[in-house]
Structures are given as C-alpha cells and as structure tokens.
Amino acid sequence: MNRKYKKLTLLMVIVLMMGVLSYNFINGRKAKSHSEKTTKQQVSNTKESSTVKNKNETAENNEKDREFKDGILKYNDKSVPVIMYHSIDYEAGNELRVPKEKFREQMKYLKDNGYTTLTLGELYNFMFNNKPVPEKSVVLTFDDGYKDNYENAYPVLKEFGFKATVFIITNCIDKDKGFLTSAQLKEMQHNGIDIESHTLNHDKLNELPYDKQLETLKGSKEFLEKLLNKKVKYIGYPYGKCNNDTVKAAKDAGYVMAFTTESGWSNKNQGIYTLNRVYVSANHDMKEFERRISNLNYNVSTTTSSKKKVKGQ
Ligand SMILES: [Zn+2]
C-alpha cells in the first residue's frame, strides 16, 4: 500500500508539475505576444507622431523645392531673368499695369517655349548653393499685392501651372480695397503662389535710419508668417531703394535674399541682397518681352553701355 501511495503521489506530482509548466509556457507566450503588441503600438504611435510632425513642418516651411536633373541645366556662374510685374489690369497711360490679355500671351509664350518658372526657394538654392536650374528658367514676381493679382494673374498662373511670388505691403491687407485680402493670400499660397514681404507701408528704406528699416522689415515678415503659417525669407525693396543699412537690416531681420528694381538678369555677383530684376511694362510688345527673357544683355544700350535704371514702384 505504501508503495502504491508513493507511486500515486509521484504521478500526481508529475502531473501537477506538467500543469504548472504548461501554464507558465502559455502565459509566457501571451506575455511575449503582448509585449510585441506593445512595441508595435509604440512604433505605430511614433510613426503617427512623426507624421504629425512632418505635417507641421510642411505647413511651416515653404513648398518643397524641386531638384532639376533633366534637360539642359545651368549653374550659378550664369544668370536668371526675374520678371517684375506690378498690377495685371488695364489703365490708360499707366505702364505699370499690364493688361490681362497681354499677360496671358506672355505666360503662353513661356509655356509654349519650354520655360520653367522657379520658386524663390529654387532661385535661392541656385544662387547660394549652386543647384542647377533649367537653362530656360524665369522667376515671376509681382510687387505691392494688388487685388488684380488674384483676379487676373492668378487664374492664368493656375492655367499654366506656374510658380510665382507676390511681394506684399502688409499694412494694406484687409484695409485697402485695391489690395489682396488675407483670404486671397491664403488661397493663392495653397496653389503655388509664394507670398513674401514688401515692407509694412511701402517704405523708402534708404531714407530711414537702420532701426526704422529693421522695424518695417521685421514687422512685415512677422505679420505674414503669422497669417500664413510659414517662413518669410525674401523681400522686394519698395521702389528698389536700398543702402548698406538696408542689406544689414534685411539680414538681421532674417531674410536670406532680396531684390531691387535695378534692370537686368539676376546673378550672384550682384550680391544676394541686391539682385536685379527684369521690368515688364504695358508698353512692351511680345517681341520686347521675348528679347528681355532671352537676351542677357537686353538692357545694354547700343549707344552707351551704362545700365538703364527703371522707376519701378
Ligand atoms: Zn512696390
């Protein structure tokens, strides 16, 4: 009997041990799979948070700049025509206002002739980092921020899928009827139009002391950054007017590139804070438009080699 009991007890101990072992084994697996799940969850949470972060970054930064690899390219030893427009509308006797039909014809010419319209980010990468751009590149800029830029230029730019930049007088936004509203600026920004600064009040920068220049350069930049949730990095000087203090103030305010109204294609040798632009007025016919964007020396007169100054606003 004693032996029988001993055998039975041993058997029961063995069964019990097996039970404990298998319980531990199953629970161990469960625990492992749970920890795997947790890790996966953590990874997916990290992924989600990084997606959110990326979204924020996208919203804050300007549209992604393209990298150009195909076709005939040029580097920053060459120049790029940066066209300067103001108003896109007709007004008798006002050459700063280019009629819509004329503007569309010019844009169609660019499209039909294989031109690439660069963003200012792409121009900056070209100028500052020597990233190549297509041989036939142009930059489209509009000064002041007239409401006709939205009504007349914007539909044409959208039609051709063109990039462009509008330099805004920020104190005119939502205040002056003739100028763009904040809603229009937001819409344009979402459709490939870059919004940058043209000071608070269209100030003649060269007539202001350094601290006043800094104030208007900073104020307009901060206003646009808040309104559009992006970095504002570029400025068109009103009337093209600037001096050494302007360049210093533009740098100190956080701009990385700036434009005058000095006539000519933009080249890094002009200084990245004093780049030339190509003036296009209502008085120019298509032949003159073509000449200005295809001939680097369009502004060199045959009688004198001095540069012709333009009185852009
Ligand atoms: Zn202006």
Side-chain angles (χ1 to χ4, degrees), residues 4-257:
K4 249 187 185 178
Y5 271 118
K6 267 187 186 169
K7 268 189 185 172
L8 206 70
T9 314
L10 197 69
L11 202 72
M12 277 174 73
V13 167
I14 289 168
V15 169
L16 214 80
M17 275 175 70
M18 278 176 74
V20 168
L21 276 173
S22 69
Y23 175 83
N24 281 346
F25 179 71
I26 290 164
N27 270 345
R29 277 185 68 104
K30 269 187 191 164
K32 196 180 170 205
S33 90
H34 178 72
S35 82
E36 268 172 3
K37 250 189 203 166
T38 312
T39 317
K40 271 182 192 162
Q41 192 68 45
Q42 278 166 351
V43 170
S44 101
N45 282 348
T46 318
K47 256 189 197 168
E48 270 165 30
S49 71
S50 78
T51 314
V52 171
K53 203 178 159 210
N54 284 344
K55 266 182 197 164
N56 286 343
E57 278 171 2
T58 311
E60 200 164 282
N61 289 335
N62 300 342
E63 201 172 331
K64 200 178 180 315
D65 303 318
R66 295 162 290 181
E67 274 190 30
F68 301 101
K69 287 173 183 162
D70 303 324
I72 308 167
L73 302 173
K74 64 181 171 188
Y75 289 82
N76 71 3
D77 55 327
K78 300 273 169 48
S79 308
V80 171
V82 176
I83 299 178
M84 173 178 67
Y85 290 108
H86 292 80
S87 188
I88 303 300
D89 205 356
Y90 173 76
E91 188 189 0
N94 187 348
E95 67 165 79
L96 283 170
R97 291 174 170 259
V98 176
K100 187 186 175 180
E101 299 69 32
K102 197 165 211 168
F103 175 72
R104 194 184 176 282
E105 205 185 342
Q106 291 167 357
M107 294 304 104
K108 191 175 182 302
Y109 175 86
L110 295 179
K111 192 77 182 178
D112 292 347
N113 288 277
Y115 278 88
T116 300
T117 51
L118 302 180
T119 65
L120 288 190
E122 289 159 358
L123 183 75
Y124 176 79
N125 278 335
F126 168 79
M127 290 285 175
F128 200 74
N129 300 318
N130 201 19
K131 296 271 169 146
V133 295
E135 171 72 28
K136 285 172 129 185
S137 286
V138 289
V139 177
L140 304 172
T141 66
F142 299 81
D143 283 14
D144 304 335
Y146 297 107
K147 68 169 184 181
D148 58 56
N149 288 180
Y150 177 84
E151 291 163 351
N152 298 334
Y154 175 52
V156 176
L157 294 168
K158 266 202 297 188
E159 179 189 346
F160 292 111
F162 280 174
K163 308 284 184 191
T165 299
V166 186
F167 292 118
I168 303 288
I169 307 163
T170 54
N171 279 352
C172 290
I173 302 171
D174 297 328
K175 287 176 194 154
D176 192 314
K177 268 192 193 167
F179 291 82
L180 293 162
T181 65
S182 48
Q184 289 168 338
L185 291 176
K186 283 178 187 173
E187 189 193 326
M188 288 167 85
Q189 182 185 241
H190 284 128
N191 289 283
I193 313 298
D194 192 14
I195 309 298
E196 300 291 336
S197 170
H198 200 45
T199 74
L200 288 171
N201 296 302
H202 209 257
D203 306 292
K204 284 180 181 161
L205 291 166
N206 63 328
E207 294 177 7
L208 298 174
Y210 168 81
D211 59 332
K212 290 286 170 197
Q213 292 198 40
L214 186 65
E215 199 176 295
T216 186
L217 292 169
K218 257 188 152 175
S220 55
K221 185 177 190 289
E222 282 164 6
F223 182 92
L224 289 176
E225 287 183 342
K226 204 173 164 200
L227 178 72
L228 302 168
N229 189 29
K230 66 145 194 170
K231 289 276 172 216
V232 170
K233 300 178 187 171
Y234 314 109
I235 175 136
Y237 303 133
Y239 312 97
K241 288 182 185 296
C242 60
N243 56 21
N244 290 339
D245 276 349
T246 314
V247 172
K248 188 180 183 312
K251 271 186 207 171
D252 292 347
Y255 293 98
V256 298
M257 188 166 69

